[in-house]
């Protein structure tokens, strides 16, 4: 429900049958390993109210193909999307690049693309650790 403010650490970790998730408007934080190894999860929309995606939150979600990260996210911790081998479509709507770690997006799909607002493409490409992903960052019109 929308009254939930945190998806706790390990909340759905290893739920291999979990194929979709709806994150409520009250959630501010997605905890450590909250959805780790949810292999049937295909797509996730992280709403604008979320500010932090904690470490390993979606790690090893091998079926995850697309993620939309809302405007409010300011921090995506280490290995949050590591080893999401099918993840090829990432849309990050924040106009200020969220803080990420070196391995936040390690081990993505074969041809991943990170879409960011057109006006801030250069900001993302210059930001710490985002610059390592500059070749796959492209802009979209808002």
């Amino acid at each position: 429900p929308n009254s939930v403010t945190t998806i706790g650490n390990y909340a759905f970790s290893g739920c291999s049958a979990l194929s979709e998730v709806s994150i409520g408007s009250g959630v501010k934080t997605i905890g450590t390993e909250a959805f780790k190894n949810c292999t049937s999860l295909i797509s996730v929309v992280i709403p604008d109210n979320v500010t932090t995606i904690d470490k390993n939150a979606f790690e090893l979600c091998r079926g995850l193909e697309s993620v939309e990260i809302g405007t409010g996210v300011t921090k995506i911790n280490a290995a949050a999307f590591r080893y999401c081998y099918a993840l090829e479509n990432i849309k990050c709507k924040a106009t200020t690049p969220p803080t990420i770690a070196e391995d936040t997006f390690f081990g993505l799909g074969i041809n991943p693309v990170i879409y960011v607002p057109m006006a801030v493409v250069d900001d993302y490409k210059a930001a710490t650790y985002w610059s390592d992903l500059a070749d796959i960052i492209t802009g979209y019109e808002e």
Side-chain angles (χ1 to χ4, degrees):
N2 291 335
S3 61
V4 172
T5 59
T6 300
I7 298 175
N9 298 344
Y10 317 103
F12 299 97
S13 186
C15 292
S16 59
L18 184 66
S19 60
E20 64 181 74
V21 66
S22 178
I23 299 171
S25 63
V27 173
K28 302 284 185 229
T29 302
I30 298 173
T32 298
E33 296 187 21
F35 295 96
K36 181 179 180 177
N37 207 21
C38 291
T39 54
S40 297
L41 196 58
I42 295 171
S43 178
V44 174
V45 175
I46 298 167
D48 294 341
N49 45 283
V50 172
T51 59
T52 303
I53 301 170
D54 233 332
K55 64 183 182 177
N56 310 91
F58 294 93
E59 183 181 30
L60 292 166
C61 289
R62 293 180 182 97
L64 190 61
E65 297 173 0
S66 68
V67 172
E68 181 175 304
I69 300 169
T71 59
V73 173
T74 59
K75 189 170 189 177
I76 307 172
N77 285 320
F81 294 97
R82 185 170 60 180
Y83 304 133
C84 293
Y85 298 119
L87 185 54
E88 294 190 352
N89 184 355
I90 302 163
K91 184 176 186 180
C92 192
K93 296 170 35 180
T95 55
T96 299
T99 302
I100 64 171
E102 185 175 17
D103 64 349
T104 295
F105 294 106
F106 182 81
L108 297 179
I110 296 170
N111 295 304
V113 178
I114 299 174
Y115 298 95
V116 301
M118 187 67 74
V120 293
V121 168
D122 291 339
D123 295 344
Y124 272 84
K125 288 185 176 188
T128 303
Y129 299 124
W130 287 102
S131 61
D132 298 339
L133 304 165
D135 291 348
I136 62 170
I137 294 173
T138 191
Y140 72 89
E141 291 296 331
E142 297 177 64

